[in-house]
Amino acid sequence: MGSEGLGSAAVPAPEPDAHLRGSGGPAVTLYLDLACPHCAVVWVEARELPLSLCVRHFPIESKRPRAAALHAATEAAVLQGGEEAFWGMWDSLYEDRGRVDDPHLWERARELGLDVERFEADRRGDQVAERVRRDFRSGIRAGVTGTPAGFLDGRPLGSEGEELGGVLRALAEVG
């Protein structure tokens, strides 16, 4: 699907607890699914570009049943270790996509210096679930129907891995 699969509804400005990375360059909002192979390709490249990125959770459980658990793991990490732990978990999930079962999540939590029992309780808790749902709902309101999806100033940038990746590279060059 191209950008025609994205609606024209406004993408909300980053909330106080938004996950932001990078500075300078255009501000881009990305809706990503941590279990999506196309999102992994886009993320590994986008994180290195001179862009201001806001990532939002968009787990598509009907396609990728493990997605919600992965997104919950990143939010559980942030509750204990702040944004540094969030990004550590986020990046590790995209870098090692073959190891995403619960024991692997617990191993990652330990590597990030988190208390695994608290991590697991938080990961399965209402606060984390609501945080992920909030991002997902904002994507639905913005017209996101698949991942990856990107927006610049509320305008859709595209939604297929290669297409979105190319748009992000072009933005970084002119930004």
Side-chain angles (χ1 to χ4, degrees):
M1 128 181 67
S3 60
E4 68 278 357
L6 297 172
S8 59
V11 174
E15 301 85 353
D17 64 346
H19 302 297
L20 306 172
R21 189 161 185 181
S23 59
V28 174
T29 298
L30 295 174
Y31 285 92
L32 301 172
D33 180 337
L34 284 163
C36 170
H38 301 293
C39 291
V41 170
V42 166
W43 178 251
V44 168
E45 183 173 355
R47 71 181 182 190
E48 302 300 325
L49 295 173
L51 298 169
S52 297
L53 300 171
C54 173
V55 297
R56 291 201 169 121
H57 301 286
F58 204 82
I60 304 176
E61 293 178 87
S62 61
K63 286 185 176 180
R64 301 173 198 97
R66 193 77 185 132
L70 303 181
H71 286 275
T74 63
E75 287 302 323
V78 80
L79 291 178
Q80 272 189 75
E83 283 296 304
E84 184 176 334
F86 172 86
W87 290 114
M89 183 67 72
W90 183 273
D91 286 338
S92 75
L93 290 169
Y94 274 139
E95 291 164 358
D96 188 2
R97 296 183 48 247
R99 299 181 50 208
V100 296
D101 292 327
D102 285 356
H104 302 123
L105 297 180
W106 303 330
E107 179 183 328
R108 285 179 170 91
R110 275 191 289 280
E111 289 171 0
L112 292 169
L114 307 178
D115 174 273
V116 175
E117 286 183 31
R118 179 178 166 201
F119 168 80
E120 189 60 14
D122 288 344
R123 185 171 73 99
R124 295 177 185 277
D126 292 339
Q127 179 181 358
V128 162
E130 179 50 36
R131 175 65 175 82
V132 173
R133 280 192 301 267
R134 184 184 79 199
D135 278 4
F136 189 85
R137 285 189 305 262
S138 79
I140 294 295
R141 284 190 300 273
V144 175
T145 59
T147 58
F151 294 84
L152 174 67
D153 296 328
R155 293 185 316 264
L157 295 175
S159 59
E160 297 251 344
E162 286 183 33
E163 176 186 340
L164 181 56
V167 171
L168 294 176
R169 284 190 300 279
L171 280 173
E173 289 174 11
V174 297

